[in-house]
Each structure stands twice: as C-alpha cells, then as structure tokens.
Amino acid sequence: MKKIMNQTDDILNEMLEGLSYAYSDLVTRIPETNVIVKKNISGSKVGVVSGGGSGHEPAHAGFVGTGMLSAAVCGEIFTSPTPDQVLEGIKAADDGAGVLLVIKNYSGDVMNFEMAKDLAEMEGIEVETVLVDDDIAVEDSTYTAGRRGVAGTILVHKILGHAAESGKSLAEIKEIGDKLVKEIKTLGVALTGATVPAVGKPGFVLAEDEIEFGVGIHGEPGYRKEKLQSSRKLAEELVGKLKDEFNWKSGDKYGVLVNGLGGTPLMEQFVFMNDVKALLEEDGLVVDFKKVGDVMTSIDMEGLSLTMIHLDTPEWTEALNAPVTTIAW
Amino acid sequence: METKQVINWLQLFTDKVGENKAYLSDLDTPIGDGDHGANMARGTSEMMKSIEEKNPQTPTEVFKLAAMTLISKVGGASGPLYGSAFMGMTKASMQSDDLVSILEGGMSEIQKRGKSEPGEKTMLDTWSRVIESLKDGSLTEEKVKEISEETKEMKATKGRASYLGERSIGHIDPGAMSSSYLFETMIEAGVK
C-alpha cells in the first residue's frame, strides 16, 4: 500500500481539517464532530443533510453549500456515522423549517440515520428521510437489504438542494425525493479493488486483464467478471442493463452522469462518455443533463459508474442544471 | 427496581463483554464482519465511564445514559440496535417499575429499528425468549445460556448473516450471544 497519510486512525480527522481549512469560505467543521456544515445558514429554508462512511470523496462534504447540502456527516472509512453525529448535523442544518435526510440504502446507514431522526424529533425538530437505492447490480449484498445507494445519490442532493433553496416545504421536498429515487439508476464496472488504509491491501483482486461488472462502492461483489474489453463494449453492457430497467423509447428525456471511482483518469471517463453518447443517440434519447467526473468514489478503485435519470419533470432538469456554490459540483 | 442494582447489572455486563471480546468477534467472523466483540467492549466501557461521571439517580437516568453512550460509541448496526433497546427501556421505565414491561419496551424498539421479528436468528431471539421465561418464572442463568445456544441451528433471515442463507446454520448469532450476557448479568445482579 502506497498512500499519503500519517496514522490510519487520524485520517478522517486530518482530512476534515484539511478540507475545512482549504474551503473556509464555503464550509465549517462543527467543533468536536465530523460534521461539515454550510456557512451562513439562514432564511428559514429546509435543511438537506446527507452523509455516510468516508472514502467516497468528494461525497458528501464536497456537496455542502448554497443550492445543495446544508451539512454532511462523515463516518469512519466505509462505516456509517453514529446517530449522535447525524443529530449534530441535523441541528446545525435546522433553521426552523425542518430537515430532510438523504440516506444511501445500507443497513448501517439506515439504522443510524433513523435513530438520529428519532433523537431530533425528541428535541422538536421535524425530520423526513429519502432513501436512495439506485444501484441495479444486485438485489441484496453484504451490507444491504434491497439495492445499494451509489452515485445517483449526488443527483438527489442536487435536485432536493435546489427545491430547498427555492423555499419548498419539508413535505414537498420529501414527496419530490420519493418520486425522484424511482427515476435514477446506476451501474458500475471495476478494474481494481479499493484499499482501505487500515486494511492495507485491496478488498478484492482482479487479474491484470480482468474487470468486474456491478461492484459496489465498498468493493461488494458484482454480478460478472470478464476479460478487459474496449470502452465501447463496457458502455454497451452498462447502457444495455440500464435500458432493460428503464425501458426507454425514442424521444424520452434523460440525464447522464459518468462517475469515476477514484483511480480512473478523467481522460478515460470522457472516452467512455463519448461511447455512451453514441449509444443513447442510436436509441433517439434526448439528453438534457450531462456530467463527468469523480463525485462518488471508492477510495482508489479504478473503474467508473454510469448513472441515468429519467427527466420527464422540467423542474428536475432545471434543478440539475442550476449553478451551486460547493467544493465539488 | 433500585438504581444501585441497575448500575451493578451494567457493570457486570461490561465485565462479561470485556472477558468475551475475542469470542464475540469470533462468532461474528464467519457470518458477519468480525468486529462485534471489539465494538461492544468499547461501547460498554464508555457506558460505565459515563455512568461514573454523571452519577444518575434513577433507573430511567441510568438507561438513558446507557442508550446515549452505546449509540455514540459502538458503531455499526449493534450501536443503534443496543442504543434503541436502552432507549425503549428508558421510555418504559418512566411509565412502570416492572422489569417485564421495561424489557418489552426495549424489545419493541429493537424490532422497530431492525425491522425484524423473533425467529430470524438475531438478538431478538434472546430477548423474546428471556421475556417469555421471565413471565412464567422459569428464568435462570442456565436457561439464558440455552436460549442463545439455540440460535445455532436457526437459519438467518435478517441482518448480515442472512446473506449466507443456509450457511448461517451451525453458527451462534453474535448479537444473540451478547444479549444473553446482558440477561445473565441481570439475574446475577438481582435486578427484578
């Protein structure tokens, strides 16, 4: 393992210190916590809070700021934050209009965030939750009942953050969120495993000429291993599987997010996007939103994921394309 | 229910978890992620530290402190589950002094948090059968040991072990085991 680090136990703290120092104009770290919060919360708007284990940077702290998240709660690497930490995030984000929690569907996250919701309600803060389960790779996995939440979560932040910014109520935002998560689907492909610093070796090993489809963002097993193939072939697999899920037809409107998993250069992500573009054009889709880059990584995993969102609601398209002030969008 | 007794119960529980830390993690290795012992040992010793510092005056206050420290110090899924259990006991102890009612309050919160029922090879199997035995007066330390051993032959349908399906058979559930320590020490401390 080659990493730029000090003691593994200090990584989370040192990362958050570095992040909040570098972007002190946008965010602050709540003292004694692992919560990154937007500067100047005001205006009685609904707070949107997300979080989860660390190791997925820039998610989630990179999306804290005007127009997206009010706060992000950062757990240990690949470990859900505890309810007391999430509660601090909720309190910091609450400006009297309540707080919406965006949760990725992992058993640990769901339990810890729901417990935090109970604690916040005891303190008189209104809290609603939206559960993201966009990964179509597998139904149940090591950490999940049902489908996992992955890169599509960032699009949920973007659209719900926009709804909160424009003054919608907690109930309205919850309703949008519940609709939204049904229209977002993601599938990934890994070229290597991720190395958790405390473990020191990759969580799984693929041969030099081998790839795996459907690997999760913590290195959970996918659905098929194959020999390495061209970007075009990878795009055919991912787009084909998403098409089976969405059942799109010519003229349908979609948004596309190509997300790097941490160890794949942008060059390759753009090449892949070009292949996706060709396939979607063949099917006659109208692409109203496009984005490429690392938004939800798996530490240093090589590979990428493809997220698509069905955009038949003009407000969602507008929300996705609206400017925001965050570290990483 | 006496505050001193309740504190003594949690101290004995903490000692027992500490003594069996490696064993609990061993149970968690084939069917989970192998950290149950370490997580529970860390959480329970933090719980006792907090109880010593804050010197709670009623069983309700003790349960609440236990809930808050377990929630914040255990992590994983066990943290919210044990935290919810003690939170439920906190609420129930505000209404009643009766041990059965208090444990039932804890159990219903575990069910709610884990979206689970008895019979799925989880800590709930220990809780539900201990409460049954408590009601019919047949609860002894030996009985508690038997109850957790019996999870060995069950097939897991909830929790991380459920991904193993049939392969979870033949392993004692780590959460059922740590819960059995809770009830063995409850009897040992004479909490009624």
Side-chain angles (χ1 to χ4, degrees):
Chain A
M1 174 173 73
K2 252 194 216 176
K3 289 187 189 290
I4 296 166
M5 56 183 245
N6 302 307
Q7 298 302 312
T8 49
D9 284 353
D10 300 332
I11 290 179
L12 176 61
N13 176 48
E14 291 173 354
M15 168 177 86
L16 295 178
E17 284 301 293
L19 177 142
S20 50
Y21 169 74
Y23 293 96
S24 55
D25 52 336
L26 296 178
V27 301
T28 359
R29 179 181 184 180
I30 301 177
E32 310 291 304
T33 74
N34 299 324
V35 179
I36 297 291
V37 63
K38 181 170 79 171
K39 277 231 154 129
N40 315 322
I41 288 185
S42 67
S44 306
K45 289 169 179 165
V46 169
V48 182
V49 175
S50 187
S54 293
H56 307 299
E57 294 66 39
H60 292 278
F63 302 108
V64 171
T66 304
M68 271 184 101
L69 297 176
S70 320
V73 189
C74 312
E76 292 294 333
I77 294 172
F78 289 179
T79 305
S80 167
T82 53
D84 55 306
Q85 294 278 324
V86 181
L87 178 64
E88 292 298 328
I90 293 171
K91 283 194 208 160
D94 179 49
D95 199 28
V99 171
L100 186 113
L101 295 176
V102 180
I103 311 170
K104 300 195 293 303
N105 188 32
Y106 296 96
S107 313
D109 287 33
V110 171
M111 273 195 251
N112 284 290
F113 277 74
E114 285 185 352
M115 180 117 218
K117 174 183 193 270
D118 288 356
L119 295 171
E121 284 168 346
M122 279 185 197
E123 299 195 18
I125 302 173
E126 261 193 286
V127 180
E128 287 289 359
T129 60
V130 167
L131 194 63
V132 189
D133 58 349
D134 55 317
D135 189 347
I136 64 168
V138 290
E139 283 306 322
D140 293 311
S141 74
T142 329
Y143 306 100
T144 341
R147 290 177 165 185
R148 304 178 294 225
V150 288
T153 311
I154 308 306
L155 303 185
V156 176
H157 296 346
K158 189 73 173 63
I159 292 170
L160 298 189
H162 185 264
E165 192 59 35
S166 58
K168 287 202 160 42
S169 73
L170 183 59
E172 287 170 323
I173 297 172
K174 157 84 173 158
E175 196 183 341
I176 297 169
D178 286 343
K179 276 197 195 124
L180 187 59
V181 292
K182 296 192 184 87
E183 303 295 339
I184 301 177
K185 300 189 191 303
T186 300
L187 191 58
V189 59
L191 281 56
T192 66
T195 300
V196 174
V199 177
K201 59 182 199 305
F204 65 91
V205 176
L206 290 168
E208 190 51 39
D209 61 345
E210 194 178 36
I211 55 152
E212 184 169 355
F213 290 114
V215 167
I217 52 172
H218 310 95
E220 303 96 319
Y223 63 88
R224 197 168 76 237
K225 286 183 191 170
E226 277 193 12
K227 289 275 184 245
L228 179 63
Q229 45 205 261
S230 66
S231 168
R232 170 77 192 203
K233 286 275 181 231
L234 298 178
E236 282 171 6
E237 170 76 19
L238 300 191
V239 170
K241 281 271 190 299
L242 290 169
K243 182 180 178 174
D244 291 345
E245 283 279 328
F246 279 116
N247 284 316
W248 58 62
K249 55 187 190 305
S250 184
D252 285 356
K253 293 176 176 166
Y254 277 84
V256 180
L257 165 68
V258 171
N259 165 60
L261 293 173
T264 287
L266 270 173
M267 178 195 286
E268 295 168 36
Q269 296 177 41
F270 286 127
V271 168
F272 181 81
M273 179 55 121
N274 184 49
D275 291 311
V276 170
K277 163 186 167 277
L279 292 165
L280 300 185
E281 278 175 356
E282 278 173 27
D283 280 359
L285 295 194
V286 179
V287 179
D288 283 338
F289 164 79
K290 311 176 271 283
K291 190 171 181 68
V292 175
D294 291 9
V295 298
M296 174 76 79
T297 60
S298 179
I299 309 180
D300 53 357
M301 185 184 285
E302 288 175 36
L304 49 75
S305 64
L306 173 63
T307 300
M308 290 184 65
I309 171 170
H310 182 213
L311 288 174
D312 63 350
T313 314
E315 290 81 12
W316 297 1
T317 311
E318 187 193 325
L320 286 172
N321 291 308
V324 291
T325 316
T326 64
I327 298 171
W329 177 259
Chain B
M1 191 174 293
E2 303 213 353
T3 311
K4 261 208 187 93
Q5 261 182 346
V6 175
I7 293 175
N8 184 37
W9 165 21
L10 296 184
Q11 181 63 59
L12 292 170
F13 173 53
T14 301
D15 295 345
K16 198 156 193 116
V17 167
E19 286 157 23
N20 292 284
K21 183 165 98 171
Y23 175 58
L24 285 176
S25 286
D26 286 347
L27 291 180
D28 193 31
T29 301
I31 57 175
D33 57 358
D35 59 2
H36 189 60
N39 288 347
M40 288 302 293
R42 185 183 54 245
T44 49
S45 47
E46 291 285 344
M47 168 178 80
M48 288 324 293
K49 256 192 235 161
S50 153
I51 288 171
E52 267 159 47
E53 267 170 38
K54 303 217 162 72
N55 191 20
Q57 295 301 308
T58 63
T60 300
E61 284 176 28
V62 180
F63 292 142
K64 189 166 183 187
L65 271 181
M68 293 315 288
T69 40
L70 293 173
I71 286 168
S72 59
K73 302 296 181 195
V74 177
S78 304
L81 288 167
Y82 273 100
S84 297
F86 277 95
M87 195 56 88
M89 288 158 70
T90 305
K91 286 183 205 161
S93 70
M94 291 174 181
Q95 310 296 327
S96 155
D97 202 14
D98 172 53
L99 183 59
V100 169
S101 309
I102 290 172
L103 295 183
E104 281 177 334
M107 181 169 136
S108 74
E109 286 295 314
I110 299 172
Q111 282 178 275
K112 195 179 99 179
R113 185 72 50 213
K115 301 180 177 76
S116 176
E117 296 293 327
E120 299 189 293
K121 190 174 176 129
T122 68
M123 65 194 288
L124 277 174
D125 293 301
T126 300
W127 281 74
S128 61
R129 304 194 40 218
V130 161
I131 292 169
E132 270 169 44
S133 307
L134 199 58
K135 280 181 179 166
D136 66 26
S138 68
L139 192 69
T140 60
E141 284 186 54
E142 286 63 43
K143 180 84 193 236
V144 177
K145 282 196 179 83
E146 268 168 45
I147 287 172
S148 61
E149 287 282 341
E150 280 166 4
T151 61
K152 191 168 181 170
E153 296 318 315
M154 297 171 79
K155 180 176 147 186
T157 54
K158 260 284 161 21
R160 199 171 285 186
S162 64
Y163 309 125
L164 297 170
E166 299 289 336
R167 280 181 297 150
S168 64
I169 297 171
H171 296 284
I172 295 172
D173 181 73
M177 197 70 204
S178 56
S179 284
S180 77
Y181 297 157
L182 181 68
F183 297 119
E184 283 172 39
T185 52
M186 176 183 85
I187 299 165
E188 198 183 333
V191 174
K192 287 187 179 66

